[in-house]
């Protein structure tokens, strides 16, 4: 008569043998007592060559001496009925001498006062290869991306320089101004690009605190100025996405350009002030100059130039609002949600 225990035991060994992962059990003297079919295929040894033996054959030489000590420590670290797993990257050796990476889960159980260790092992050679391949591809991608950014930056700089050179050679004031305007628009994009692409990586967002003061200084710097411009900034610590920064940069470029072109004629004390606040998910940008002044209730319908029309378009692109306020000079307030 077959006992229930025997049925269970046969059933269990069938399960162990049909497992996809290698299963190896060791007795308390670290001799192999289970070496399943997947283990045979993984290591290239028949179970009969392993049973009753130590694991030495399937361990790399530098681990052979340490291995028993590691197992002993593993047994001591927990109470007798502790069942744990250790996950880590370890290595095995096949019968043909080939070393390969393994991922292992080791557990211990106590049977009749004897501690049995069982390791479930997975050959991760392919996975490692794929990971390395992936890493290589990512590095290559990164390199290409960097190269593209580098070239875009260089190209923008070339365009900017050409426009500046042309503006200094243009004979009519209108042509000069137009070329300086165009250079300013390129410059504002360059500043953003430069900021985003620092630290060898392309950032997806940027803090206004970092962006706006440089942007302002860069654009003001384009204009040949006799008396210095005082720039005051009070910028809240808030990061915006490139999607919002690009239109915002161009808007500010138009404001600053306008101040430089129209506001300060005949003025000695020249000042530009930019503030940025953030509250209730809303960014408020306040732009001011202390120039000759420009007051329009609705700048969209009254603007004759291209600059402020573009500002309106860009503000609606931000789903924001713009208004101007009466001051001694010019003041614009833009609000949009982050
Ligand atoms: N900060 C300012 N101070 C005084 N006047 C201004 C200021 N900003 C704009 N203006 C006036 O509003 C007009 C419209 O400005 P807008 O930027 O739309 O056009 P523009 O600067 O003349 O030309 P463009 O921007 O197309 O090069 C300007 O011509 C100028 O008269
Ligand atoms: Mg303008």
């Amino acid at each position: 008569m077959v006992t229930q225990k025997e049925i269970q035991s046969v059933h269990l060994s069938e399960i162990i043998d049909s497992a996809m992962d290698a299963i190896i059990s060791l007795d308390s003297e670290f001799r192999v007592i289970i070496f399943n079919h997947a283990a045979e295929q993984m290591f290239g040894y028949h179970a009969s060559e392993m049973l009753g033996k130590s694991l030495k054959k399937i361990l790399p030489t530098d681990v052979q001496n340490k291995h028993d000590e590691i197992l002993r420590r593993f047994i001591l670290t927990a109470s007798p009925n502790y069942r744990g797993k250790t996950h880590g990257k370890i290595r095995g050796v096949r019968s043909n001498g080939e070393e390969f990476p393994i991922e292992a889960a080791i557990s211990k159980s106590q049977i009749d006062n004897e501690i049995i260790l069982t390791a479930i092992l997975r050959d991760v050679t392919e996975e490692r290869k794929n990971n390395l391949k992936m890493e290589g591809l990512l590095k290559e991608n990164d390199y290409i991306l960097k190269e593209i950014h580098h070239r875009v930056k260089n190209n923008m700089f070339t365009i900017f320089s050409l426009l500046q050179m042309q503006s200094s050679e243009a004979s009519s004031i209108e042509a000069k101004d137009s070329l300086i305007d165009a250079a300013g628009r390129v410059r504002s994009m360059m500043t953003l690009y430069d900021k985003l692409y620092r630290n060898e990586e392309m950032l997806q967002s940027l803090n206004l605190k970092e962006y706006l003061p440089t942007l302002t200084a860069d654009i003001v710097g384009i204009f040949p100025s006799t008396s210095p411009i005082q720039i005051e900034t009070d910028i809240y610590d808030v990061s915006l996405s490139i999607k919002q920064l690009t239109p915002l940069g161009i808007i500010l470029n138009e404001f600053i350009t306008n101040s430089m072109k129209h506001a300060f004629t005949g003025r000695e004390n020249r000042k530009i002030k930019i503030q940025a606040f953030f509250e209730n998910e809303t960014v408020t940008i306040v732009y001011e100059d202390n120039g000759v002044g420009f007051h329009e209730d609705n700048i969209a319908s009254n603007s004759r130039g291209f600059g402020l029309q573009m500002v309106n378009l860009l503000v609606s692109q931000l789903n924001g609002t713009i208004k101007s306020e009466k001051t001694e000079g010019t003041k614009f307030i833009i609000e949009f949600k982050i």
Side-chain angles (χ1 to χ4, degrees), residues 134-278:
M134 205 65 163
E135 263 171 40
L137 284 175
L138 282 176
K139 266 195 197 131
E140 202 176 313
N141 239 341
D142 215 42
Y143 174 77
I144 293 171
L145 210 63
K146 270 180 199 160
E147 187 56 30
I148 291 173
H149 288 318
H150 189 67
R151 285 181 191 198
V152 170
K153 239 165 86 171
N154 281 350
N155 289 344
M156 282 204 275
F157 187 72
T158 309
I159 295 168
F160 171 70
S161 306
L162 278 174
L163 290 169
Q164 253 196 337
M165 249 160 57
Q166 251 187 309
S167 82
S168 66
E169 272 166 31
S171 47
S172 80
I173 297 284
E174 289 83 26
K176 237 186 221 316
D177 280 357
S178 297
L179 287 164
I180 287 188
D181 282 356
R185 284 166 191 148
V186 174
R187 176 84 235 189
S188 73
M189 286 187 244
M190 266 169 72
T191 308
L192 177 61
Y193 208 82
D194 208 48
K195 289 263 173 220
L196 291 171
Y197 177 58
R198 244 181 327 142
N199 309 325
E200 298 288 291
E201 59 175 324
M202 185 77 188
L203 303 173
Q204 293 307 315
S205 64
L206 189 67
N207 201 306
L208 284 185
K209 231 181 162 75
E210 202 185 324
Y211 178 45
L212 296 189
T214 322
L215 177 78
T216 313
D218 282 354
I219 296 167
V220 169
I222 295 170
F223 292 87
S225 167
T226 38
S227 53
I229 311 281
Q230 191 193 331
I231 300 171
E232 198 184 314
T233 50
D234 179 10
I235 315 288
Y236 192 91
D237 200 342
V238 58
S239 281
L240 297 189
S241 67
I242 306 176
K243 210 174 150 220
Q244 293 193 307
L245 286 172
T246 310
L248 183 63
I250 300 173
I251 290 171
L252 284 169
N253 172 63
E254 295 308 319
F255 286 164
I256 299 164
T257 308
N258 277 350
S259 298
M260 301 304 288
K261 277 196 334 191
H262 312 297
F264 298 133
T265 14
R267 297 251 164 158
E268 275 309 304
N269 171 28
R270 305 160 170 214
K271 198 166 137 187
I272 288 176
K273 185 174 173 189
I274 302 177
Q275 290 162 284
F277 308 106
F278 180 62

Side-chain angles (χ1 to χ4, degrees), residues 251 255 283-286 311 315 321-322 332-336:
I251 290 171
F255 286 164
V283 179
T284 306
I285 308 278
V286 182
V311 166
V315 170
T321 58
I322 178 164
F332 286 116
I333 300 161
I334 292 178
E335 283 189 340
F336 57 92

Side-chain angles (χ1 to χ4, degrees), residues 18-37:
S18 62
M20 303 275 279
D21 289 335
I23 300 176
I24 301 174
S25 288
L26 303 179
D27 65 12
S28 52
E29 279 164 48
F30 307 145
R31 283 179 309 225
V32 177
I33 50 172
I34 291 175
F35 199 79
N36 77 341
H37 186 60

